[in-house]
Amino acid sequence: MKAIIHVGLKPGVLDPQGRAIARSLSDLGYDEVSDARQGKVIELDMSGTDKDAAEARVKEMCEKLLANTVIESYRITIED
Amino acid sequence: MKAIIHVGLKPGVLDPQGRAIARSLSDLGYDEVSDARQGKVIELDMSGTDKDAAEARVKEMCEKLLANTVIESYRITIED
């Protein structure tokens, strides 16, 4: 089983990496890009077959370790 | 229009961040996690309405700036 977790900054939180990307793209002539944001994606290989149980465990992992919930939000997808 | 780009290390490339995540989760008692990999996701806000043209431009951006194609692979999704 695979868990895919998207972690991104909450709206309104300053995103310096995204800013740097937007500026660099503009410098390279890609003027159609008005804004950029960068987040991370974490893929976990997991044992077990119960998707609901896995999702609950991954949510716990996010709260404890994988996301800083003060400034970041996360989204979990469980795949076979 | 929105372009979402997933950038991840190619298979076989050492992923120290993923290793650190897997080890930390194991230390926290999440023994069901056998492996972890970390990648990044970049969201671009773009002007224009031609999806195919946008995808071609984003591919160019990836090759030039957003991904290190020696060690990273990328996947582009264009959304309205």
Side-chain angles (χ1 to χ4, degrees):
Chain A
M1 201 159 41
K2 214 164 208 170
I4 297 168
I5 304 144
H6 283 86
V7 182
L9 290 166
K10 289 183 177 170
V13 178
L14 187 67
D15 177 3
Q17 285 178 308
R19 280 283 175 83
I21 290 170
R23 171 171 290 178
S24 300
L25 287 175
S26 162
D27 288 348
L28 286 172
Y30 296 107
D31 297 319
E32 68 264 52
V33 177
S34 56
D35 195 21
R37 293 186 72 79
Q38 186 179 322
K40 56 189 170 180
V41 56
I42 298 163
E43 280 189 34
L44 304 178
D45 290 335
M46 300 177 72
S47 58
T49 52
D50 184 339
K51 278 189 167 194
D52 290 339
E55 185 162 348
R57 289 279 281 179
V58 173
K59 192 167 184 296
E60 235 182 80
M61 295 176 206
C62 288
E63 297 285 334
K64 277 195 194 164
L65 178 77
L66 302 176
N68 175 353
T69 53
V70 178
I71 55 168
E72 292 174 325
S73 59
Y74 59 86
R75 201 175 71 241
I76 299 166
T77 317
I78 307 284
E79 289 179 358
D80 286 326
Chain B
M1 200 160 40
K2 215 164 206 167
I4 297 169
I5 305 143
H6 283 84
V7 182
L9 290 166
K10 289 182 178 171
V13 177
L14 186 70
D15 177 4
Q17 285 178 307
R19 280 282 175 84
I21 290 170
R23 170 170 290 178
S24 300
L25 287 174
S26 163
D27 288 349
L28 287 171
Y30 297 107
D31 297 319
E32 69 265 51
V33 177
S34 56
D35 195 21
R37 292 187 72 79
Q38 185 180 321
K40 57 189 171 179
V41 57
I42 299 163
E43 280 189 34
L44 303 179
D45 290 335
M46 299 177 72
S47 58
T49 52
D50 184 339
K51 278 189 168 194
D52 290 338
E55 186 163 346
R57 290 279 279 179
V58 173
K59 191 165 185 295
E60 234 183 80
M61 295 176 207
C62 288
E63 296 286 333
K64 278 194 194 164
L65 179 77
L66 303 176
N68 175 353
T69 54
V70 177
I71 56 167
E72 293 174 325
S73 59
Y74 59 86
R75 202 174 71 241
I76 299 166
T77 317
I78 306 284
E79 288 179 357
D80 285 326

